[in-house]
Amino acid sequence: MEAFRFKFQNDFLGEFIMINITLPDGSIKSYEECPTGLDVAKSVSEAFARNCVAMEMDGNAVDLNTKITGDCKVNFITTRDKKALEILRHSAAHVMAEAILRLYKNAKLTIGPVVEDGFYYDIDMEPVSEDDFPKIEAEIKKIIDSKTPFERRLVSKPEAMEFYKGEPYKLELISELADGTISLYKQGDFTDLCRGPHIPHTGFIKAIKLMKVSGAYWRADPKKAQLQRIYGTAFFDKKELKAYLHLLEEARKRDHRKLGAELDLFSFHDEAPGMPFFHPRGMTIWNELIHYWRIEHRAAGYVETKTPILLNRKLWEKSGHWDNYRENMYTTLIDETEYAVKPMNCPGGMLLYDMKTHSYKDLPLRAAEIGLVHRHELSGVLSGLFRVRAFHQDDAHIFMTPDQIENEILGVLRLVDRIYSTFGLGFHLELSTRPEKSIGTDQQWALATEGLRSALNTYGRDYKINEGDGAFYGPKIDIHIKDALGRTWQCGTVQLDMALPERFNLSYIGSDNEKHRPIMIHRVIYGSIERFLGILVEHFAGRFPLWLAPVQIAVLPINDDLVPFAMEVKTALDKAAIRAEVDSRTESLNKKVRDAQLNRIPLILTIGAKEKESGTLSVRTLDGNVKFGISREEFLNRVQKHLRERSPELDIFRNQPPDGL
């Protein structure tokens, strides 16, 4: 690209200095005066500059109006980048705060961070409700329409304290900062304590909506002031806001807590907070999930085990959980000995492995367990099946030799792919490395991390690296599934562990007839079965595929005289291991059909005199297709084929040859 040259004279040295700016494509722009980021963006094109939100100088995000005073690498953050949305939303939090101060003169600001899908601001003010949002949003619109620039100002700590006298929360925050310069951001008459960066001006906010308000204690301390936490979201485009609100509405319709109650699947009770109760229909889905899991694991060479949920303190000290996970464990005293309810299945698996001597010929040993674990979660974070205190993990521990690492990890990833694809779930992978709080040597961590990285590279899918987010005993691959609404959920994980086999002194006899230390994989696929079931409720919106549906077929006689024949049909279905119910109520057929559809029953058989006389069936699928005159044999063949294949299709007639129909 053509170089733009400006003169910048160093007053102290009395000489000209050339500033070289390297752009992401490797090209270099040279300047003889200090340009701003906006100047450089405009040199690319005016259209490009209009879409720039901020920039990175040598990897550090700064405002677009920042003067560039030396050689550096510059990357522009545009409206298409994820970082840009975070900057926009943080700027929107400032705009909302200014609007609230205009309307509520006695309000005192605290902090206003960006969170997933939006932002919030905690404010000490009179109580507000969602009914107040329209007037706040009207004031926000005035600020946005003014296109007021965001201007950064650096002040000393004493100057900041002076500026915020009368603002107790800001003063408290400033007092905790190190001495030196402090960053403030000004937009019009409003100034906030902030390190930035921000959008160039308020007009960049094209769509904003306040979402909800809740109470929050200052610094999460119940002894401190209760604040109003006002949530909002913002986008660069009104269409994006509209799509987001549509997604929220669809998610509300699919809320597993709502559907779980409507479909009679599970419930929660004050007598056991955070510990779900599964009803008969919920247990049907549960058992189908476990049955399918067992089929896939047997085929993949796993054996199944079971370990106790209560183990004594010495075991947890040996495993490292007592020192690293104690605050999340439930404990009790038995015969003057301290015990803990297991939060993980791993230590029990170590004891089972150590029951006998193993040869290298026995490895890999893949031992799976559907283990009930308990973890103490704070009551405020409990959320339906998504965050509970008691849950089942579809755990497995794979003991192997060092040269088997890559093949075993690949085997797990391929098993993950098979299982998730059955539910129509896509996924992406993330590699999480050593956290600050961990056990094991540097050498063990390096070997384990490289083993995971090598397997991921061989597997051939893109993956992200999360530095410092591994388990305390080893690095891991986190598997994030994507549901029908495009939301992601972290369910599966693959963790490579060299520390626990050493702590438990596990060994195998190698080909040299000497003892060697096995390497171990911890892995889950469903993760928490409870949570996975909740995800499936929302993924399918309660319209489960035939093989998972609690009731697969509703048999609806059109009058009382036909109930005996309907029961005969049900008996035939029972013998074929198909879950069916007869609706023998004295209701109209339309009412029965409607109720079956509300209960998301995949197939509806309507039984009238014609069906009884001909011995055929009238079949209605959940998506509204109706077939008449289907023979029982044909119907059973189609249903059983659908079940064998675990087809995700709601219509048993779709994508199948007519078979003489």
Side-chain angles (χ1 to χ4, degrees):
M1 287 184 253
E2 183 183 350
F4 285 71
R5 300 175 61 83
F6 301 94
K7 290 185 177 180
F8 164 58
Q9 180 154 11
N10 184 307
D11 293 332
F12 180 72
L13 295 176
E15 60 185 28
F16 294 103
I17 295 177
M18 184 72 72
I19 298 172
N20 296 309
I21 299 172
T22 305
L23 299 179
D25 64 359
S27 63
I28 297 174
K29 286 185 173 289
S30 299
Y31 295 85
E32 290 180 351
E33 286 187 356
C34 294
T36 65
L38 184 59
D39 292 330
V40 181
K42 285 181 175 179
S43 75
V44 176
S45 79
E46 289 286 342
F48 175 74
R50 284 195 295 272
N51 284 312
C52 289
V53 173
M55 65 177 173
E56 292 176 332
M57 291 175 55
D58 291 332
N60 297 313
V62 297
D63 300 307
L64 203 58
N65 62 7
T66 301
K67 288 266 189 184
I68 302 172
T69 59
D71 292 355
C72 64
K73 292 182 179 179
V74 167
N75 179 50
F76 290 101
I77 301 172
T78 72
T79 54
R80 294 187 296 271
D81 298 324
K82 183 179 179 181
K83 288 180 182 177
L85 197 55
E86 293 174 1
I87 293 169
L88 177 84
R89 287 171 173 169
H90 188 54
S91 301
H94 281 230
V95 170
M96 182 182 75
E98 180 183 4
I100 287 171
L101 288 181
R102 288 183 180 184
L103 297 170
Y104 302 89
K105 304 300 184 184
N106 295 322
K108 302 293 182 185
L109 301 179
T110 65
I111 57 172
V114 173
V115 292
E116 186 177 4
D117 294 331
F119 59 88
Y120 71 78
Y121 216 118
D122 283 348
I123 305 173
D124 190 348
M125 62 183 295
E126 65 185 73
V128 294
S129 71
E130 293 184 16
D131 292 338
D132 298 303
F133 286 178
K135 69 178 181 181
I136 299 173
E137 288 175 340
E139 201 63 39
I140 288 172
K141 187 176 186 304
K142 294 177 186 177
I143 299 168
I144 291 172
D145 290 345
S146 70
K147 296 185 178 181
T148 305
F150 282 87
E151 301 172 5
R152 189 171 189 238
R153 178 183 165 209
L154 295 177
V155 300
S156 67
K157 189 171 181 178
E159 286 176 312
M161 297 287 282
E162 175 64 23
F163 182 83
Y164 279 109
K165 63 183 180 182
E167 296 287 339
Y169 302 103
K170 297 296 184 184
L171 288 174
E172 183 178 331
L173 293 170
I174 294 167
S175 69
E176 295 169 357
L177 298 175
D179 292 339
T181 56
I182 290 174
S183 173
L184 305 178
Y185 271 85
K186 180 177 183 294
Q187 77 224 35
D189 296 329
F190 174 76
T191 301
D192 206 353
L193 179 69
C194 182
R195 67 171 177 263
H198 282 280
I199 53 180
H201 59 75
T202 59
F204 270 71
I205 305 170
K206 302 300 183 185
I208 187 169
K209 185 169 180 59
L210 304 189
M211 303 301 296
K212 63 178 180 178
V213 61
S214 64
Y217 292 108
W218 173 232
R219 298 200 150 173
D221 186 346
K223 296 177 182 177
K224 294 185 177 178
Q226 186 168 28
L227 312 169
Q228 299 290 296
R229 176 169 291 180
I230 302 176
Y231 289 88
T233 192
F235 292 90
F236 288 107
D237 188 284
K238 290 180 180 179
K239 290 180 181 178
E240 291 176 350
L241 174 60
K242 184 178 179 181
Y244 173 70
L245 295 177
H246 175 74
L247 177 66
L248 287 185
E249 181 57 32
E250 187 62 31
R252 274 193 285 271
K253 293 177 185 175
R254 293 169 179 249
D255 189 318
H256 75 283
R257 293 164 295 189
K258 171 178 170 286
L259 290 176
E262 289 178 6
L263 301 177
D264 195 22
L265 303 180
F266 56 84
S267 58
F268 289 87
H269 300 270
D270 292 341
E271 290 79 1
M275 302 181 188
F277 289 66
F278 281 90
H279 303 186
R281 292 190 175 189
M283 280 305 300
T284 298
I285 301 173
W286 178 283
N287 288 331
E288 286 293 344
L289 290 175
I290 299 301
H291 177 61
Y292 171 58
W293 181 90
R294 286 188 168 125
I295 289 171
E296 288 288 0
H297 281 72
R298 279 196 297 270
Y302 286 77
V303 295
E304 190 172 353
T305 62
K306 183 175 176 60
T307 61
I309 67 168
L310 199 64
L311 301 121
N312 72 30
R313 173 176 173 168
K314 288 183 180 178
L315 179 74
W316 299 111
E317 289 176 337
K318 189 173 185 179
S319 69
H321 288 86
W322 197 265
D323 293 331
N324 292 278
Y325 206 75
R326 170 69 184 83
E327 65 275 11
N328 297 103
M329 297 166 68
Y330 294 105
T331 62
T332 187
L333 201 64
I334 302 174
D335 297 333
E336 300 182 356
T337 300
E338 205 163 5
Y339 283 74
V341 180
K342 66 178 180 182
M344 299 171 184
N345 298 304
C346 323
M350 305 302 102
L351 296 180
L352 281 180
Y353 177 89
D354 205 30
M355 282 290 295
K356 65 178 185 178
T357 301
H358 295 274
S359 160
Y360 71 96
K361 295 179 181 179
D362 302 327
L363 306 182
L365 173 60
R366 307 180 189 106
E369 176 179 10
I370 303 290
L372 174 60
V373 300
H374 291 71
R375 298 179 185 176
H376 178 62
E377 300 282 3
L378 297 176
S379 59
V381 302
L382 299 177
S383 177
L385 295 179
F386 290 165
R387 198 70 175 266
V388 292
R389 288 173 171 166
F391 58 96
H392 295 73
Q393 286 187 306
D394 65 317
D395 224 333
H397 300 107
I398 303 174
F399 301 91
M400 60 197 170
T401 62
D403 62 322
Q404 294 171 334
I405 292 176
E406 184 169 319
N407 280 341
E408 287 307 302
I409 293 170
L410 286 171
V412 173
L413 293 175
R414 287 164 184 154
L415 179 59
V416 163
D417 202 343
R418 285 198 301 277
I419 290 177
Y420 286 167
S421 63
T422 298
F423 301 99
L425 296 165
F427 66 92
H428 72 269
L429 305 168
E430 298 185 1
L431 173 60
S432 299
T433 60
R434 187 176 191 173
E436 187 175 332
K437 191 176 184 181
S438 62
I439 58 177
T441 66
D442 291 345
Q443 183 181 6
Q444 288 172 332
W445 275 88
L447 183 60
T449 304
E450 186 52 39
L452 292 181
R453 195 189 310 271
S454 176
L456 283 170
N457 291 336
T458 302
Y459 188 53
R461 291 179 69 138
D462 290 339
Y463 62 92
K464 173 185 172 184
I465 296 179
N466 291 330
E467 296 291 350
D469 202 34
F472 72 87
Y473 48 78
K476 60 178 180 172
I477 298 170
D478 285 326
I479 304 160
H480 297 257
I481 61 176
K482 180 179 283 189
D483 70 10
L485 295 183
R487 299 171 300 178
T488 57
W489 311 85
Q490 197 273 306
C491 289
T493 186
V494 186
Q495 301 169 355
L496 198 55
D497 185 358
M498 299 180 185
L500 277 185
E502 183 169 319
R503 280 177 170 255
F504 281 85
N505 197 29
L506 303 183
S507 65
Y508 66 91
I509 304 301
S511 58
D512 58 1
N513 211 32
E514 298 292 331
K515 281 189 175 183
H516 298 270
R517 188 80 67 212
I519 294 168
M520 186 178 74
I521 289 174
H522 307 254
R523 47 110 293 195
V524 292
I525 297 176
Y526 290 154
S528 155
I529 299 175
E530 286 80 353
R531 185 167 180 265
F532 191 76
L533 195 155
I535 291 169
L536 290 183
V537 171
E538 300 198 2
H539 174 60
F540 292 118
R543 296 157 60 98
F544 293 103
L546 189 64
W547 71 277
L548 266 183
V551 179
Q552 294 166 326
I553 298 175
V555 184
L556 312 182
I558 65 172
N559 58 48
D560 291 347
D561 292 341
L562 291 165
V563 170
F565 180 69
M567 294 304 297
E568 288 179 23
V569 173
K570 179 185 182 304
T571 299
L573 294 171
D574 290 342
K575 288 179 179 178
I578 297 169
R579 298 185 290 273
E581 288 184 355
V582 173
D583 187 346
S584 59
R585 295 176 301 162
T586 307
E587 298 282 358
S588 69
L589 181 61
N590 285 343
K591 166 78 167 137
K592 291 180 179 182
V593 169
R594 176 64 177 156
D595 288 347
Q597 290 174 330
L598 288 174
N599 285 317
R600 277 78 165 181
I601 298 174
L603 296 172
I604 300 170
L605 303 182
T606 53
I607 305 295
K610 183 178 179 181
E611 283 75 25
K612 180 180 179 181
E613 182 180 343
S614 65
T616 60
L617 300 170
S618 295
V619 185
R620 180 189 298 268
T621 62
L622 190 54
D623 52 1
N625 289 332
V626 182
K627 296 281 186 179
F628 298 102
I630 308 298
S631 71
R632 288 198 201 179
E633 182 182 7
E634 171 63 21
F635 178 71
L636 283 176
N637 286 341
R638 286 188 181 268
V639 168
Q640 289 173 328
K641 182 176 187 292
H642 216 70
L643 295 176
R644 283 194 305 272
E645 295 174 351
R646 292 186 174 82
S647 172
E649 290 284 357
L650 289 174
D651 187 347
I652 62 171
F653 301 104
R654 187 176 298 161
N655 298 327
Q656 293 191 30
D659 293 335
L661 296 181

